Amino acid sequence: MRIRRLTVDYGTALLILCSLGFILPRLLPGDPFLAIYGEEALLNMTPETKAAIISSLSLDKPLGEQFAAYWLALLRGDLGWSYFFQAPVLSVIGAFLPWSLLLSGSALVLSTLAGFIAGVESGARRGSRFDNFSFTGLMALGGIPDFFIGALLLLAFAVHWPLFPLGGAVTAYGGKSGWALGADVLRHLALPLASLFAVRLASVYLLTRATVVGLLGSPFIRTARAKGCSAAAIRYRHIGRAALLPIATTAGLHLAHLFAGVLMVEILFGYPGMGALFGKALSARDYPLLQGILLVGTLTVLATNFLVDSLYPILDARVRKTCTSATKQQ
Amino acid sequence: MHIRYKATITNGAGRRGFFVLCFWGAAALAAPWLAPHAPDAYVGKAFSSPSLQHWFGTNDVGQDILSQLLFSARTSLIVALSAAGLANAAGLVIGGGCALLGDRADRTAARLIDIWLVIPPILGAMLAAAYLRPSPVLLAVILAAFFWTNSARLVRAQTLALKESDKIAAVRAIGAGPVYVFRRHILPEVWPVLWATIIHDARRAVFMEAGLAFLGICDPTAPSWGRMIQQALAFTYLDAWRWWLVPAGLAVSTVVVAFSLVGYALETVQNPRLAAHPEVSDAADR
């Protein structure tokens, strides 16, 4: 019942977002061809390519058929043709995706872990100096936009003290292999990773702390103390265990912010992932590529959220219980 | 729900946030009188360092950075206030309206809200903004189109709960219409909850405006902190970033942090369990 409801919700959301890609260029004044591909593209195009694109998008047909053609192309996995790279959008994205996955994946794992531990420690000692200090500090840190933290790190540790490279993911023509290559990749990863980590750390910390504080007075914690459990056991095996689920789910639900953060940080550091590609597409006004990147991002985020949402009752017995009783009542 | 608004301001964090917001609000309002130059006028040598004439120096084409900072506060706060205002007005009307009408209208609207909630606002707004290259006001409309669901859900839940109460039944029995009931009896109860989402939406809008401008998705005629950071980054090999990039970044950060502080203070006043009172802390604190 719940799954079916969720599928309809997510399916409709996906339809709306994909249709935006159809509606937006046609909302702009003038020729939709111009809006979809941009003026610069038009100048660089041979008449044959133009004719091929027009017939593939059915731009010479009525609006209904154009819509059908748009959806058929999407279903085939055809996101359009990137005139800037002279290649299909999907294959361009595929070439840039791995670096983004490396960056965002490690940022997600590291910040969730560190934020969780800091949140449990701080929440369990609510009101202590450690708690006040980390709460104020991280709250301020969380308000700083990722691109500004990144810019400061870049200026401090790459420009002022050149400890880390200015940009890129590996030293070009470095001719390194094995461990040296690995170290090189890590050195390039350090600053972008640090900026994403810093911003996400705060949000995980604040959520964990709030959850922990909410749990502090519960009877099962009192029982644990009465049994004589050690402070560490109470923090991690009781409070931490109970707080884990909301944190795991919001880690999934905050993926959209991570994706946007990755775009900005990658542009900043010239990291060759989706963000750098997005920056290129923006400055070249390569609209099909731009739309492709955002669609792939949205699809990833929606798929993850759907998974998290539908796994939630399996992970948390309490939700499962309320769900079944709610269905019975209906 | 009754909240003591004064408590939000006397709360240390809330007070600091409130003062920072007042500072930027005043700067934005008085920008034409405070700013020594027009933000887009070429008034000096390129890259001059801070001096009495140009407190924050000049940028790569000789525009006064202080004036740009002040006028950017306008853009940022206009987007924040109108996006938050629009989103919450829409939330109030849709959420309250469908809860009062009930039945089929309510079910349809609730479903629509559920579906809309699934869309990540940050990505939806980016997609729309990338095509439309919006002016500040249009950007506020786009952001509001993705933000309204939060307040709609809250207002609907509150209204549904209140609708069943005895006092509303009594007022309805005297013959009050739904609009009157909503305005006189439901709105005052819903306000406090709405304040929190207004602040939250404003914070997100400031961040989105700066972020989109940083990506280059903005109206080139509207000065923006995000765009200042983007432009300054091209000249990292000079010293100009110290009085160009850093003040702009600090401006965005202080506004965003100030909104979160005020929001947090509001939440604490509404839900005192979250406050950091040492005497309440009872477990695992050894």
Side-chain angles (χ1 to χ4, degrees):
Chain A
M1 191 57 208
R2 187 183 144 85
I3 296 280
R4 213 176 72 197
R5 223 184 127 86
L6 279 176
T7 317
V8 175
D9 279 1
Y10 277 89
T12 322
L14 190 66
L15 285 183
I16 293 174
L17 278 168
C18 287
S19 305
L20 266 186
F22 176 82
I23 298 163
L24 281 172
R26 284 164 182 81
L27 271 185
L28 295 179
D31 187 7
F33 181 82
L34 208 65
I36 296 172
Y37 274 86
E39 276 172 53
E40 283 87 341
L42 209 59
L43 297 174
N44 299 339
M45 234 174 236
T46 57
E48 292 84 56
T49 350
K50 191 179 167 186
I53 289 172
I54 287 187
S55 77
S56 78
L57 291 176
S58 313
L59 283 183
D60 44 358
K61 309 253 172 61
L63 213 58
E65 276 177 57
Q66 287 181 31
F67 195 59
Y70 173 80
W71 273 102
L72 280 176
L74 269 189
L75 290 178
R76 280 199 309 269
D78 174 10
L79 294 178
W81 177 264
S82 160
Y83 88 90
F84 184 73
F85 287 92
Q86 294 295 330
V89 166
L90 204 62
S91 70
V92 176
I93 291 178
F96 282 78
L97 195 60
W99 289 113
S100 283
L101 287 182
L102 174 69
L103 179 58
S104 53
S106 40
L108 185 70
V109 172
L110 286 178
S111 58
T112 308
L113 248 150
F116 180 69
I117 293 176
V120 169
E121 288 298 325
S122 169
R125 297 177 207 175
R126 181 169 59 158
S128 70
R129 194 180 292 167
F130 169 75
D131 177 40
N132 284 338
F133 182 74
S134 49
F135 181 71
T136 333
L138 282 173
M139 187 128 161
L141 188 68
I144 307 178
D146 11 30
F147 54 89
F148 183 50
I149 290 192
L152 288 182
L153 287 176
L154 179 83
L155 288 165
F157 297 108
V159 177
H160 195 71
W161 301 290
L163 297 173
F164 292 99
L166 268 171
V170 282
T171 312
Y173 312 113
K176 288 175 182 154
S177 59
W179 288 109
L181 181 70
D184 193 42
V185 168
L186 283 184
R187 244 169 65 84
H188 282 83
L189 190 65
L191 288 184
L193 182 58
S195 12
L196 282 179
F197 174 78
V199 176
R200 260 196 53 80
L201 176 71
S203 68
V204 179
Y205 163 84
L206 289 174
L207 178 75
T208 314
R209 185 181 171 281
T211 319
V212 167
V213 167
L215 285 170
L216 275 182
S218 342
F220 78 99
I221 302 298
R222 203 163 296 154
T223 313
R225 287 182 71 188
K227 283 193 303 190
C229 289
S230 69
I234 293 182
R235 273 179 210 158
Y236 288 97
R237 300 201 34 190
H238 292 86
I239 304 181
R241 173 68 188 83
L244 201 57
L245 198 68
I247 285 119
T249 36
T250 31
L253 296 176
H254 281 185
L255 214 64
H257 288 268
L258 189 66
F259 182 79
V262 165
L263 290 189
M264 294 173 191
V265 167
E266 279 183 2
I267 289 179
L268 195 62
F269 289 96
Y271 204 77
M274 300 274 278
L277 191 63
F278 188 78
K280 278 201 189 97
L282 260 178
S283 57
R285 310 223 167 195
D286 193 340
Y287 282 113
L289 186 55
L290 207 67
Q291 197 189 331
I293 293 169
L294 287 174
L295 275 186
V296 168
T298 317
L299 208 65
T300 326
V301 171
L302 284 184
T304 323
N305 289 0
F306 178 65
L307 211 66
V308 167
D309 251 0
S310 44
L311 282 181
Y312 200 75
I314 300 173
L315 294 173
D316 190 346
R318 287 168 301 181
V319 180
R320 188 162 55 219
K321 195 98 186 267
T322 46
C323 272
T324 42
S325 60
T327 350
K328 264 178 209 154
Q329 275 168 16
Q330 285 170 0
Chain B
M1 194 196 292
H2 176 75
I3 63 166
R4 296 167 298 140
Y5 289 104
K6 239 175 130 184
T8 312
I9 303 301
T10 45
N11 175 312
R15 190 173 54 224
R16 268 167 235 153
F18 183 72
F19 282 139
V20 172
L21 287 184
C22 285
F23 169 78
W24 281 117
L29 275 178
W33 297 280
L34 286 178
H37 304 280
D40 50 357
Y42 308 110
V43 290
K45 257 182 27 216
F47 297 121
S48 30
S49 37
S51 62
L52 277 177
Q53 259 147 9
H54 304 289
W55 289 7
F56 283 84
T58 57
N59 67 6
D60 56 331
V61 289
Q63 293 163 331
D64 184 56
I65 289 175
L66 175 64
S67 314
Q68 289 199 332
L69 277 176
L70 291 171
F71 275 96
S72 301
R74 284 197 145 187
T75 314
S76 183
L77 291 182
I78 285 176
V79 171
L81 295 184
S82 27
L86 274 174
N88 285 280
L92 194 66
V93 171
I94 298 175
C98 72
L100 279 182
L101 289 176
D103 219 18
R104 196 186 284 161
D106 185 36
R107 254 176 299 155
T108 323
R111 204 84 183 96
L112 183 70
I113 293 171
D114 273 353
I115 290 166
W116 214 261
L117 273 172
V118 165
I119 298 175
I122 198 160
L123 293 180
M126 266 170 118
L127 183 65
Y131 273 105
L132 303 176
R133 306 253 158 178
S135 63
V137 177
L138 184 58
L139 179 62
V141 175
I142 294 176
L143 290 177
F146 290 98
F147 284 173
W148 64 274
T149 38
N150 268 332
S151 55
R153 199 177 44 155
L154 279 172
V155 173
R156 179 176 168 268
Q158 284 261 328
T159 315
L160 279 181
L162 283 170
K163 214 173 96 173
E164 304 304 322
S165 67
D166 290 344
K167 85 167 188 194
I168 300 291
V171 181
R172 290 302 288 266
I174 306 174
V179 177
Y180 177 84
V181 169
F182 187 73
R183 192 164 50 82
R184 279 305 295 273
H185 296 277
I186 292 180
L187 200 55
E189 305 262 341
V190 174
W191 257 125
V193 188
L194 216 55
W195 265 117
T197 58
I198 289 177
I199 305 260
H200 181 64
D201 287 346
R203 187 180 63 86
R204 286 200 290 176
V206 170
F207 174 78
M208 288 287 295
E209 189 274 326
L212 286 172
F214 171 77
L215 290 175
I217 305 174
C218 60
D219 177 0
T221 57
S224 162
W225 290 325
R227 203 155 58 93
M228 289 173 74
I229 296 178
Q230 183 213 24
Q231 290 169 340
L233 268 174
F235 302 99
T236 45
Y237 49 87
L238 296 172
D239 273 346
W241 58 268
R242 290 171 200 214
W243 55 84
W244 187 5
L245 189 147
V246 173
L250 283 180
V252 188
S253 312
T254 46
V255 174
V256 175
V257 172
F259 272 124
S260 358
L261 287 177
V262 173
Y264 173 73
L266 251 170
E267 255 174 53
T268 316
V269 172
Q270 289 175 11
N271 183 4
R273 280 212 324 164
L274 291 174
H277 289 308
E279 67 273 14
V280 195
S281 158
D282 60 349
D285 196 15
R286 283 173 284 186

